[in-house]
Amino acid sequence: MKEFIEGLPKAELHLHIEGTFEPELMFEIAQRNQIKIPYKSVEEIRTAYQFECLQDFLDIYYQGAGVLIKEQDFYDLTWAYLQQCADQNVRHTEIMFDPQTHTERGVAFETVIKGISRACNNAQEKLGVSSLLIMSYLRHLSEEAAFETLKQSLPFKDLITAVGLDSSEKGNPPSKFEKVFAASVEEGYIPLAHAGEEGDADYVWEALDVLKIKRIDHGNNCLQDEALVKEIVKRDLALTVCPLSNTALQVVKDLKDHPLKKMMALGLKATINSDDPAYFGGQVNQNYIDTQAALDLTKDEIFQLAKNSFQYSLLDTNRKEGLIAELEAYYK
Ligand code: ADE
Ligand code: ZN
């Protein structure tokens, strides 16, 4: 099964580039930028990664991202992740980045996007891994701040495919961002959002009806509401599920209790993703491997999850069909 998963062509649809920051690279970049971090060793960093909830994690995640200053830093971070993609047979990835985490510290939007995009272009050419970018608004900040980010993104519009919504969910409902999402869609960005990770089903409803999202990041708590599940199935929206993130942030107690199989049985289109792999103990293949073992998923179910990852990506039909054909040939 491990070998089957490792060789499986797949896409990753829920990944925060700042969440791929491995401690070794964090030390290296902190040192060259002469920024102090509150850890003496890689081991000390790893022990700090114990979380009781989303906010616990976010506090540490924003602190880690604070050492990224130069375009080369964003390039190195992204390139390291894309190399992992190639190693894991991730053929396509849709990368979220949080501009506000950086612009709030005085790093220019241009620095962030140029570093990330240069790595993406290089990966397409040298590794055969395709990617696209999702600019995510931080929901703990104001809608006005999100508008400022939207404005800053416009000169780089061609490099960005979609907008997302992430950070502290509870107390920051999707409706807070109604206007900036409408404006983002006007500019040609596809609307996506985290919903139902810690927030209840009514946040998922709002993400659907107010933000008009085309895919749901996490979505676990849609299971609280039967009518909502039916609506998601009817609209054919996929969920980007992140099993090891869910256990690390105690959204799910034990992987054996994970609702992935239930979601699939209800007709929901699920995909498996790593979210913030450097923090949650595993890259995308580890998410597949551990979830398969915990829920006793069949090869057919694994194949279906990988197929969903291509089917519900934001790629054009041509590339989607090509990747699905590659997957089907592998499965056969
Ligand atoms: N930012 C990075 N990872 C996140 C997550 N799992 N939920 C919300 N915001 C995030
Ligand atoms: Zn996420």
Side-chain angles (χ1 to χ4, degrees):
M1 194 54 93
K2 183 170 180 280
E3 211 174 293
F4 172 67
I5 288 170
E6 285 172 350
L8 191 73
K10 58 187 78 67
E12 177 146 68
L13 305 183
H14 186 153
L15 181 282
H16 302 263
I17 199 61
E18 295 87 354
T20 67
F21 209 178
E22 294 291 346
E24 292 79 1
L25 185 61
M26 195 184 288
F27 265 113
E28 188 186 317
I29 294 181
Q31 209 158 40
R32 75 188 187 208
N33 287 338
Q34 297 180 315
I35 293 176
K36 278 208 160 55
I37 53 172
Y39 308 106
K40 287 193 200 69
S41 65
V42 169
E43 293 69 42
E44 209 176 287
I45 293 191
R46 295 218 190 269
T47 1
Y49 292 177
Q50 305 281 339
F51 315 111
E52 280 180 15
C53 61
L54 175 58
Q55 194 59 51
D56 265 7
F57 154 69
L58 290 170
D59 294 341
I60 289 189
Y61 160 88
Y62 294 130
Q63 185 184 64
V67 308
L68 299 162
I69 308 281
K70 304 200 175 86
E71 188 194 311
Q72 189 64 37
D73 304 340
F74 291 93
Y75 175 89
D76 290 346
L77 175 69
T78 310
W79 181 246
Y81 165 66
L82 289 162
Q83 281 179 309
Q84 292 174 1
C85 285
D87 292 343
Q88 297 181 93
N89 279 307
V90 171
R91 306 281 289 107
H92 171 70
T93 177
E94 309 203 333
I95 301 178
M96 281 182 259
F97 69 111
D98 294 339
Q100 289 159 297
T101 299
H102 315 296
T103 53
E104 280 223 312
R105 301 180 285 114
V107 176
F109 189 100
E110 181 177 5
T111 305
V112 179
I113 192 131
K114 281 195 170 165
I116 296 174
S117 312
R118 187 157 59 86
C120 290
N121 290 338
N122 211 20
Q124 175 73 71
E125 196 184 308
K126 301 223 168 72
L127 308 171
V129 176
S130 65
S131 54
L132 54 82
L133 298 181
I134 304 166
M135 173 175 77
S136 295
Y137 300 123
L138 296 181
R139 68 202 302 160
H140 68 273
L141 300 178
S142 67
E143 185 177 50
E144 198 186 353
F147 263 112
E148 181 55 30
T149 302
L150 172 59
K151 199 170 113 200
Q152 290 168 352
S153 78
L154 295 181
F156 310 99
K157 211 160 121 172
D158 292 350
L159 303 175
I160 301 166
T161 302
V163 288
L165 186 64
D166 62 4
S167 192
S168 325
E169 188 177 13
K170 282 184 176 167
N172 296 298
S175 54
K176 179 176 164 187
F177 297 92
E178 178 173 6
K179 291 192 194 75
V180 77
F181 263 65
S184 303
V185 170
E186 282 279 301
E187 296 294 349
Y189 297 138
I190 297 168
L192 312 172
H194 283 54
E197 180 185 20
E198 283 190 343
D200 287 329
D202 54 331
Y203 278 26
V204 184
W205 274 117
E206 274 191 14
L208 260 61
D209 288 340
V210 181
L211 304 186
K212 308 199 182 337
I213 58 170
K214 303 296 180 204
R215 199 165 69 201
I216 305 166
D217 289 321
H218 296 293
N220 299 43
N221 288 339
C222 76
L223 297 173
Q224 295 168 346
D225 182 339
E226 227 174 280
L228 175 58
V229 170
K230 284 206 178 107
E231 188 60 26
I232 295 170
V233 173
K234 192 173 124 203
R235 293 195 200 185
D236 196 30
L237 302 178
L239 307 185
T240 62
V241 178
C242 307
L244 292 179
S245 160
N246 290 161
T247 50
L249 301 185
Q250 310 204 27
V251 167
V252 172
K253 271 216 163 55
D254 190 288
L255 214 47
K256 285 196 162 39
D257 307 322
H258 199 283
L260 179 77
K261 217 167 165 162
K262 186 175 172 196
M263 289 167 170
M264 293 171 84
L266 289 167
L268 291 164
K269 305 300 180 189
T271 60
I272 287 188
N273 309 275
S274 69
D275 203 3
D276 301 284
Y279 293 89
F280 300 150
Q283 297 166 16
V284 67
N285 281 354
Q286 201 60 50
N287 273 269
Y288 273 86
I289 290 165
D290 291 358
T291 310
Q292 185 283 323
L295 303 180
D296 198 23
L297 298 175
T298 62
K299 278 193 177 168
D300 210 60
E301 286 167 323
I302 296 290
F303 164 73
Q304 193 55 55
L305 288 160
K307 190 169 175 185
N308 287 346
S309 75
F310 293 131
Q311 189 68 48
Y312 293 91
S313 71
L314 304 176
L315 285 168
D316 61 55
T317 314
N318 235 353
R319 170 112 171 117
K320 256 188 209 179
E321 284 174 0
L323 288 167
I324 291 172
E326 196 181 307
L327 169 68
E328 280 169 348
Y330 174 83
Y331 188 42
K332 230 185 220 165

PDB file of all heavy atoms in Angstrom, residues 55-78:
ATOM      1  N   GLN A  55      -5.444  28.311  16.961  1.00  0.00           N
ATOM      2  CA  GLN A  55      -4.749  29.546  17.357  1.00  0.00           C
ATOM      3  C   GLN A  55      -3.354  29.273  17.915  1.00  0.00           C
ATOM      4  O   GLN A  55      -2.411  30.013  17.619  1.00  0.00           O
ATOM      5  CB  GLN A  55      -5.595  30.340  18.377  1.00  0.00           C
ATOM      6  CG  GLN A  55      -5.094  31.781  18.561  1.00  0.00           C
ATOM      7  CD  GLN A  55      -5.103  32.577  17.238  1.00  0.00           C
ATOM      8  OE1 GLN A  55      -6.100  32.624  16.532  1.00  0.00           O
ATOM      9  NE2 GLN A  55      -3.982  33.193  16.890  1.00  0.00           N
ATOM     10  N   ASP A  56      -3.221  28.204  18.681  1.00  0.00           N
ATOM     11  CA  ASP A  56      -1.896  27.781  19.197  1.00  0.00           C
ATOM     12  C   ASP A  56      -0.886  27.657  18.069  1.00  0.00           C
ATOM     13  O   ASP A  56       0.248  28.089  18.160  1.00  0.00           O
ATOM     14  CB  ASP A  56      -2.018  26.351  19.764  1.00  0.00           C
ATOM     15  CG  ASP A  56      -2.264  26.355  21.242  1.00  0.00           C
ATOM     16  OD1 ASP A  56      -2.481  27.429  21.814  1.00  0.00           O
ATOM     17  OD2 ASP A  56      -2.242  25.235  21.821  1.00  0.00           O
ATOM     18  N   PHE A  57      -1.348  27.001  17.018  1.00  0.00           N
ATOM     19  CA  PHE A  57      -0.494  26.780  15.843  1.00  0.00           C
ATOM     20  C   PHE A  57      -0.207  28.097  15.124  1.00  0.00           C
ATOM     21  O   PHE A  57       0.947  28.391  14.787  1.00  0.00           O
ATOM     22  CB  PHE A  57      -1.165  25.779  14.894  1.00  0.00           C
ATOM     23  CG  PHE A  57      -0.751  25.938  13.457  1.00  0.00           C
ATOM     24  CD1 PHE A  57       0.542  25.619  13.057  1.00  0.00           C
ATOM     25  CD2 PHE A  57      -1.638  26.439  12.512  1.00  0.00           C
ATOM     26  CE1 PHE A  57       0.938  25.796  11.731  1.00  0.00           C
ATOM     27  CE2 PHE A  57      -1.252  26.619  11.197  1.00  0.00           C
ATOM     28  CZ  PHE A  57       0.041  26.302  10.799  1.00  0.00           C
ATOM     29  N   LEU A  58      -1.247  28.892  14.903  1.00  0.00           N
ATOM     30  CA  LEU A  58      -1.076  30.125  14.124  1.00  0.00           C
ATOM     31  C   LEU A  58      -0.040  31.048  14.763  1.00  0.00           C
ATOM     32  O   LEU A  58       0.780  31.656  14.064  1.00  0.00           O
ATOM     33  CB  LEU A  58      -2.423  30.845  13.960  1.00  0.00           C
ATOM     34  CG  LEU A  58      -3.439  30.150  13.041  1.00  0.00           C
ATOM     35  CD1 LEU A  58      -4.814  30.813  13.152  1.00  0.00           C
ATOM     36  CD2 LEU A  58      -2.986  30.151  11.573  1.00  0.00           C
ATOM     37  N   ASP A  59      -0.038  31.118  16.097  1.00  0.00           N
ATOM     38  CA  ASP A  59       0.925  31.992  16.785  1.00  0.00           C
ATOM     39  C   ASP A  59       2.359  31.602  16.426  1.00  0.00           C
ATOM     40  O   ASP A  59       3.209  32.471  16.171  1.00  0.00           O
ATOM     41  CB  ASP A  59       0.723  31.912  18.311  1.00  0.00           C
ATOM     42  CG  ASP A  59      -0.622  32.492  18.737  1.00  0.00           C
ATOM     43  OD1 ASP A  59      -1.225  33.252  17.948  1.00  0.00           O
ATOM     44  OD2 ASP A  59      -1.080  32.172  19.858  1.00  0.00           O
ATOM     45  N   ILE A  60       2.622  30.310  16.386  1.00  0.00           N
ATOM     46  CA  ILE A  60       3.971  29.817  16.087  1.00  0.00           C
ATOM     47  C   ILE A  60       4.292  29.932  14.602  1.00  0.00           C
ATOM     48  O   ILE A  60       5.407  30.269  14.193  1.00  0.00           O
ATOM     49  CB  ILE A  60       4.107  28.361  16.593  1.00  0.00           C
ATOM     50  CG1 ILE A  60       4.148  28.413  18.131  1.00  0.00           C
ATOM     51  CG2 ILE A  60       5.315  27.652  16.010  1.00  0.00           C
ATOM     52  CD1 ILE A  60       4.489  27.123  18.803  1.00  0.00           C
ATOM     53  N   TYR A  61       3.282  29.706  13.782  1.00  0.00           N
ATOM     54  CA  TYR A  61       3.420  29.754  12.310  1.00  0.00           C
ATOM     55  C   TYR A  61       3.751  31.179  11.833  1.00  0.00           C
ATOM     56  O   TYR A  61       4.647  31.371  11.015  1.00  0.00           O
ATOM     57  CB  TYR A  61       2.114  29.203  11.757  1.00  0.00           C
ATOM     58  CG  TYR A  61       1.674  29.475  10.356  1.00  0.00           C
ATOM     59  CD1 TYR A  61       2.072  28.656   9.294  1.00  0.00           C
ATOM     60  CD2 TYR A  61       0.762  30.504  10.082  1.00  0.00           C
ATOM     61  CE1 TYR A  61       1.581  28.863   8.011  1.00  0.00           C
ATOM     62  CE2 TYR A  61       0.273  30.713   8.804  1.00  0.00           C
ATOM     63  CZ  TYR A  61       0.691  29.900   7.773  1.00  0.00           C
ATOM     64  OH  TYR A  61       0.196  30.103   6.502  1.00  0.00           O
ATOM     65  N   TYR A  62       3.075  32.179  12.399  1.00  0.00           N
ATOM     66  CA  TYR A  62       3.368  33.560  11.992  1.00  0.00           C
ATOM     67  C   TYR A  62       4.764  33.980  12.471  1.00  0.00           C
ATOM     68  O   TYR A  62       5.474  34.703  11.786  1.00  0.00           O
ATOM     69  CB  TYR A  62       2.291  34.531  12.507  1.00  0.00           C
ATOM     70  CG  TYR A  62       0.931  34.300  11.865  1.00  0.00           C
ATOM     71  CD1 TYR A  62      -0.232  34.171  12.624  1.00  0.00           C
ATOM     72  CD2 TYR A  62       0.817  34.190  10.482  1.00  0.00           C
ATOM     73  CE1 TYR A  62      -1.470  33.926  12.026  1.00  0.00           C
ATOM     74  CE2 TYR A  62      -0.410  33.952   9.875  1.00  0.00           C
ATOM     75  CZ  TYR A  62      -1.549  33.826  10.652  1.00  0.00           C
ATOM     76  OH  TYR A  62      -2.769  33.590  10.054  1.00  0.00           O
ATOM     77  N   GLN A  63       5.139  33.491  13.637  1.00  0.00           N
ATOM     78  CA  GLN A  63       6.473  33.791  14.162  1.00  0.00           C
ATOM     79  C   GLN A  63       7.554  33.211  13.226  1.00  0.00           C
ATOM     80  O   GLN A  63       8.521  33.891  12.895  1.00  0.00           O
ATOM     81  CB  GLN A  63       6.585  33.169  15.552  1.00  0.00           C
ATOM     82  CG  GLN A  63       7.862  33.491  16.279  1.00  0.00           C
ATOM     83  CD  GLN A  63       7.900  32.727  17.600  1.00  0.00           C
ATOM     84  OE1 GLN A  63       7.931  31.494  17.632  1.00  0.00           O
ATOM     85  NE2 GLN A  63       7.856  33.471  18.689  1.00  0.00           N
ATOM     86  N   GLY A  64       7.358  31.979  12.794  1.00  0.00           N
ATOM     87  CA  GLY A  64       8.314  31.333  11.878  1.00  0.00           C
ATOM     88  C   GLY A  64       8.448  32.098  10.577  1.00  0.00           C
ATOM     89  O   GLY A  64       9.557  32.309  10.070  1.00  0.00           O
ATOM     90  N   ALA A  65       7.301  32.545  10.033  1.00  0.00           N
ATOM     91  CA  ALA A  65       7.310  33.248   8.743  1.00  0.00           C
ATOM     92  C   ALA A  65       8.031  34.591   8.848  1.00  0.00           C
ATOM     93  O   ALA A  65       8.423  35.172   7.820  1.00  0.00           O
ATOM     94  CB  ALA A  65       5.878  33.444   8.264  1.00  0.00           C
ATOM     95  N   GLY A  66       8.222  35.058  10.063  1.00  0.00           N
ATOM     96  CA  GLY A  66       8.848  36.361  10.309  1.00  0.00           C
ATOM     97  C   GLY A  66      10.308  36.450   9.893  1.00  0.00           C
ATOM     98  O   GLY A  66      10.862  37.547   9.822  1.00  0.00           O
ATOM     99  N   VAL A  67      10.957  35.346   9.574  1.00  0.00           N
ATOM    100  CA  VAL A  67      12.356  35.423   9.138  1.00  0.00           C
ATOM    101  C   VAL A  67      12.474  35.584   7.616  1.00  0.00           C
ATOM    102  O   VAL A  67      13.569  35.791   7.087  1.00  0.00           O
ATOM    103  CB  VAL A  67      13.200  34.198   9.607  1.00  0.00           C
ATOM    104  CG1 VAL A  67      13.055  33.981  11.103  1.00  0.00           C
ATOM    105  CG2 VAL A  67      12.841  32.931   8.842  1.00  0.00           C
ATOM    106  N   LEU A  68      11.343  35.498   6.917  1.00  0.00           N
ATOM    107  CA  LEU A  68      11.363  35.628   5.455  1.00  0.00           C
ATOM    108  C   LEU A  68      11.365  37.108   5.070  1.00  0.00           C
ATOM    109  O   LEU A  68      10.399  37.829   5.366  1.00  0.00           O
ATOM    110  CB  LEU A  68      10.129  34.942   4.856  1.00  0.00           C
ATOM    111  CG  LEU A  68      10.006  33.437   5.120  1.00  0.00           C
ATOM    112  CD1 LEU A  68       8.571  32.960   4.882  1.00  0.00           C
ATOM    113  CD2 LEU A  68      10.977  32.654   4.241  1.00  0.00           C
ATOM    114  N   ILE A  69      12.423  37.559   4.433  1.00  0.00           N
ATOM    115  CA  ILE A  69      12.565  38.987   4.121  1.00  0.00           C
ATOM    116  C   ILE A  69      12.794  39.230   2.623  1.00  0.00           C
ATOM    117  O   ILE A  69      12.162  40.080   2.030  1.00  0.00           O
ATOM    118  CB  ILE A  69      13.790  39.608   4.867  1.00  0.00           C
ATOM    119  CG1 ILE A  69      13.738  39.294   6.373  1.00  0.00           C
ATOM    120  CG2 ILE A  69      13.914  41.101   4.592  1.00  0.00           C
ATOM    121  CD1 ILE A  69      12.793  40.143   7.174  1.00  0.00           C
ATOM    122  N   LYS A  70      13.712  38.472   2.055  1.00  0.00           N
ATOM    123  CA  LYS A  70      14.156  38.768   0.677  1.00  0.00           C
ATOM    124  C   LYS A  70      13.477  37.846  -0.328  1.00  0.00           C
ATOM    125  O   LYS A  70      13.011  36.759   0.029  1.00  0.00           O
ATOM    126  CB  LYS A  70      15.674  38.581   0.589  1.00  0.00           C
ATOM    127  CG  LYS A  70      16.428  39.430   1.614  1.00  0.00           C
ATOM    128  CD  LYS A  70      17.862  39.611   1.204  1.00  0.00           C
ATOM    129  CE  LYS A  70      18.573  40.540   2.159  1.00  0.00           C
ATOM    130  NZ  LYS A  70      19.106  39.817   3.333  1.00  0.00           N
ATOM    131  N   GLU A  71      13.499  38.276  -1.573  1.00  0.00           N
ATOM    132  CA  GLU A  71      12.908  37.458  -2.638  1.00  0.00           C
ATOM    133  C   GLU A  71      13.516  36.052  -2.639  1.00  0.00           C
ATOM    134  O   GLU A  71      12.813  35.055  -2.804  1.00  0.00           O
ATOM    135  CB  GLU A  71      13.128  38.136  -4.000  1.00  0.00           C
ATOM    136  CG  GLU A  71      12.370  37.446  -5.103  1.00  0.00           C
ATOM    137  CD  GLU A  71      12.813  37.863  -6.505  1.00  0.00           C
ATOM    138  OE1 GLU A  71      12.904  39.070  -6.765  1.00  0.00           O
ATOM    139  OE2 GLU A  71      13.048  36.958  -7.330  1.00  0.00           O
ATOM    140  N   GLN A  72      14.811  35.982  -2.418  1.00  0.00           N
ATOM    141  CA  GLN A  72      15.489  34.682  -2.413  1.00  0.00           C
ATOM    142  C   GLN A  72      14.947  33.768  -1.300  1.00  0.00           C
ATOM    143  O   GLN A  72      14.888  32.550  -1.467  1.00  0.00           O
ATOM    144  CB  GLN A  72      17.011  34.884  -2.259  1.00  0.00           C
ATOM    145  CG  GLN A  72      17.823  33.611  -2.451  1.00  0.00           C
ATOM    146  CD  GLN A  72      17.710  33.036  -3.879  1.00  0.00           C
ATOM    147  OE1 GLN A  72      17.647  33.780  -4.859  1.00  0.00           O
ATOM    148  NE2 GLN A  72      17.655  31.708  -3.989  1.00  0.00           N
ATOM    149  N   ASP A  73      14.533  34.361  -0.176  1.00  0.00           N
ATOM    150  CA  ASP A  73      13.984  33.558   0.930  1.00  0.00           C
ATOM    151  C   ASP A  73      12.687  32.868   0.483  1.00  0.00           C
ATOM    152  O   ASP A  73      12.472  31.687   0.758  1.00  0.00           O
ATOM    153  CB  ASP A  73      13.678  34.441   2.153  1.00  0.00           C
ATOM    154  CG  ASP A  73      14.896  35.214   2.631  1.00  0.00           C
ATOM    155  OD1 ASP A  73      16.022  34.804   2.295  1.00  0.00           O
ATOM    156  OD2 ASP A  73      14.707  36.233   3.335  1.00  0.00           O
ATOM    157  N   PHE A  74      11.854  33.639  -0.210  1.00  0.00           N
ATOM    158  CA  PHE A  74      10.578  33.078  -0.682  1.00  0.00           C
ATOM    159  C   PHE A  74      10.833  32.038  -1.782  1.00  0.00           C
ATOM    160  O   PHE A  74      10.141  31.034  -1.871  1.00  0.00           O
ATOM    161  CB  PHE A  74       9.645  34.202  -1.163  1.00  0.00           C
ATOM    162  CG  PHE A  74       9.167  35.057  -0.014  1.00  0.00           C
ATOM    163  CD1 PHE A  74       9.850  36.219   0.338  1.00  0.00           C
ATOM    164  CD2 PHE A  74       8.090  34.668   0.758  1.00  0.00           C
ATOM    165  CE1 PHE A  74       9.450  36.977   1.428  1.00  0.00           C
ATOM    166  CE2 PHE A  74       7.674  35.429   1.848  1.00  0.00           C
ATOM    167  CZ  PHE A  74       8.359  36.583   2.180  1.00  0.00           C
ATOM    168  N   TYR A  75      11.858  32.310  -2.584  1.00  0.00           N
ATOM    169  CA  TYR A  75      12.241  31.336  -3.614  1.00  0.00           C
ATOM    170  C   TYR A  75      12.699  30.035  -2.948  1.00  0.00           C
ATOM    171  O   TYR A  75      12.222  28.944  -3.305  1.00  0.00           O
ATOM    172  CB  TYR A  75      13.372  31.900  -4.499  1.00  0.00           C
ATOM    173  CG  TYR A  75      13.857  30.866  -5.488  1.00  0.00           C
ATOM    174  CD1 TYR A  75      13.267  30.744  -6.740  1.00  0.00           C
ATOM    175  CD2 TYR A  75      14.877  29.971  -5.140  1.00  0.00           C
ATOM    176  CE1 TYR A  75      13.678  29.758  -7.635  1.00  0.00           C
ATOM    177  CE2 TYR A  75      15.288  28.983  -6.027  1.00  0.00           C
ATOM    178  CZ  TYR A  75      14.686  28.881  -7.270  1.00  0.00           C
ATOM    179  OH  TYR A  75      15.088  27.902  -8.138  1.00  0.00           O
ATOM    180  N   ASP A  76      13.598  30.127  -1.991  1.00  0.00           N
ATOM    181  CA  ASP A  76      14.165  28.931  -1.358  1.00  0.00           C
ATOM    182  C   ASP A  76      13.076  28.102  -0.663  1.00  0.00           C
ATOM    183  O   ASP A  76      13.077  26.875  -0.729  1.00  0.00           O
ATOM    184  CB  ASP A  76      15.240  29.320  -0.324  1.00  0.00           C
ATOM    185  CG  ASP A  76      16.501  29.871  -0.987  1.00  0.00           C
ATOM    186  OD1 ASP A  76      16.657  29.715  -2.206  1.00  0.00           O
ATOM    187  OD2 ASP A  76      17.319  30.482  -0.267  1.00  0.00           O
ATOM    188  N   LEU A  77      12.177  28.799   0.019  1.00  0.00           N
ATOM    189  CA  LEU A  77      11.071  28.131   0.714  1.00  0.00           C
ATOM    190  C   LEU A  77      10.217  27.344  -0.287  1.00  0.00           C
ATOM    191  O   LEU A  77       9.902  26.161  -0.083  1.00  0.00           O
ATOM    192  CB  LEU A  77      10.211  29.204   1.416  1.00  0.00           C
ATOM    193  CG  LEU A  77       8.936  28.721   2.102  1.00  0.00           C
ATOM    194  CD1 LEU A  77       9.266  27.887   3.335  1.00  0.00           C
ATOM    195  CD2 LEU A  77       8.056  29.915   2.511  1.00  0.00           C
ATOM    196  N   THR A  78       9.858  28.013  -1.383  1.00  0.00           N
ATOM    197  CA  THR A  78       8.964  27.401  -2.372  1.00  0.00           C
ATOM    198  C   THR A  78       9.676  26.280  -3.133  1.00  0.00           C
ATOM    199  O   THR A  78       9.093  25.220  -3.387  1.00  0.00           O
ATOM    200  CB  THR A  78       8.444  28.484  -3.340  1.00  0.00           C
ATOM    201  OG1 THR A  78       7.942  29.576  -2.562  1.00  0.00           O
ATOM    202  CG2 THR A  78       7.335  27.957  -4.225  1.00  0.00           C
TER     203      THR A  78
END
